[in-house]
Amino acid sequence: MDLTPYLDSLRGSNLDEVLLSVAVDGKVALAMKGRFFLRCLCDSFSDATLIGCAVTDEKSCLSYLQQEPYELLICTDFLESGNGFELARKARKLQPHLKVVVLALGDAIPVEYAEADWLEAVVAEADFIEDQKPLEAAVIAVMGHHSYRSPSLRSGQLPYLSCPRLTPREYEVLDLLASGLTDRDIAEQLVVSEETARTYTKRLLKVLEVNNRVQAVLKGMRCGMVQI
């Protein structure tokens, strides 16, 4: 799915904090599994006009990369169609100077890619839940021509995950967050005020013991509470 023509509608997710504050000068390509991640990553760039590609599949991303130079590609390993690691390999073949960061929702690097010189930076989903800024650390690394692996990928050990019990309302809010809805959208869906919807979201973050909505959805995915 290509959501690039609708970039303006992907912004404004009311995140409690941005995920990135790194300056990037050239074009940025985003290939993420689902609208939720696209919305969050679009919000993360101070100059969103640099985002020239916001898609959910491998083929569409490669099509954009064939049209003009890009400086940075951020993708998830799982896509709605295709594979993020294969996308990284093909993207670097198309543009050898492209910097690539992969968010590994599967918490692992497949053995066939583990030693690949084109795979510069990988962040495990588990580390994203535990740490507020691993994606930013990965981008800083590749922008400085360094490689990066998040802590669990370096140690081979995933952090302990505690999965709390949610109420029916909290499950409902988590599902709506994972669908990429803002507080205003959630308010409309639940027929409550926007302030009430925001309170629901804050309560969900507290129950899940996370710092922001991205971590909430990722933890929900790891606990089997939600899918995107």
Side-chain angles (χ1 to χ4, degrees), residues 14-20 44 132-133 211-212 214-215:
N14 298 322
L15 285 174
D16 298 320
E17 57 181 289
V18 296
L19 307 176
L20 294 168
S44 296
Q132 296 183 47
K133 294 293 184 179
N211 299 295
N212 55 53
V214 179
Q215 291 178 334

Side-chain angles (χ1 to χ4, degrees), residues 136-180:
E136 182 168 346
V139 173
I140 290 173
V142 298
M143 295 302 292
H145 307 286
H146 300 289
S147 60
Y148 178 87
R149 299 290 185 270
S150 64
S152 67
L153 294 174
R154 295 195 301 268
S155 67
Q157 294 183 331
L158 295 177
Y160 172 75
L161 182 67
S162 172
C163 296
R165 180 176 297 178
L166 302 185
T167 66
R169 175 63 85 189
E170 288 163 351
Y171 269 113
E172 197 172 9
V173 173
L174 182 58
D175 281 335
L176 293 173
L177 284 178
S179 298

Side-chain angles (χ1 to χ4, degrees), residues 36-53:
F36 172 77
F37 287 124
L38 281 177
R39 180 189 291 274
C40 294
L41 266 294
C42 286
D43 276 352
S44 296
F45 287 88
S46 56
D47 184 0
T49 63
L50 295 176
I51 302 172
C53 165

Side-chain angles (χ1 to χ4, degrees), residues 18-213:
V18 296
L19 307 176
L20 294 168
S21 58
V22 181
V24 179
D25 296 323
K27 284 281 186 182
V28 177
L30 303 176
M32 315 297 290
K33 187 183 179 188
R35 181 187 179 95
F36 172 77
F37 287 124
L38 281 177
R39 180 189 291 274
C40 294
L41 266 294
C42 286
D43 276 352
S44 296
F45 287 88
S46 56
D47 184 0
T49 63
L50 295 176
I51 302 172
C53 165
V55 300
T56 59
D57 66 289
E58 179 183 330
K59 183 178 179 180
S60 296
C61 186
L62 290 172
S63 177
Y64 277 97
L65 293 174
Q66 288 171 341
Q67 295 175 29
E68 62 180 322
Y70 278 75
E71 183 175 17
L72 176 66
L73 164 64
I74 302 178
C75 62
T76 48
D77 52 349
F78 301 134
L79 299 168
E80 291 187 359
S81 176
N83 176 287
F85 287 107
E86 272 300 294
L87 170 59
R89 182 183 68 81
K90 294 172 184 176
R92 283 295 298 273
K93 188 174 182 180
L94 280 173
Q95 299 193 23
H97 298 294
L98 180 70
K99 300 171 181 66
V100 180
V101 175
V102 179
L103 172 56
L105 300 178
D107 290 325
I109 302 173
V111 64
E112 62 267 34
Y113 305 123
E115 303 300 326
D117 57 5
W118 46 263
L119 189 59
E120 297 172 305
V122 185
V123 177
E125 177 192 72
D127 295 320
F128 208 115
I129 296 170
E130 292 295 312
D131 183 357
Q132 296 183 47
K133 294 293 184 179
L135 187 58
E136 182 168 346
V139 173
I140 290 173
V142 298
M143 295 302 292
H145 307 286
H146 300 289
S147 60
Y148 178 87
R149 299 290 185 270
S150 64
S152 67
L153 294 174
R154 295 195 301 268
S155 67
Q157 294 183 331
L158 295 177
Y160 172 75
L161 182 67
S162 172
C163 296
R165 180 176 297 178
L166 302 185
T167 66
R169 175 63 85 189
E170 288 163 351
Y171 269 113
E172 197 172 9
V173 173
L174 182 58
D175 281 335
L176 293 173
L177 284 178
S179 298
L181 301 190
T182 64
D183 284 332
R184 180 175 298 176
D185 298 328
I186 292 172
E188 292 177 357
Q189 287 286 325
L190 300 181
V191 195
V192 297
S193 69
E194 189 172 347
E195 182 60 34
T196 298
R198 191 173 297 113
T199 298
Y200 286 159
T201 301
K202 290 179 179 178
R203 185 182 303 158
L204 176 65
L205 300 187
K206 185 176 181 180
V207 170
L208 290 173
E209 298 181 314
V210 295
N211 299 295
N212 55 53
R213 298 152 200 257

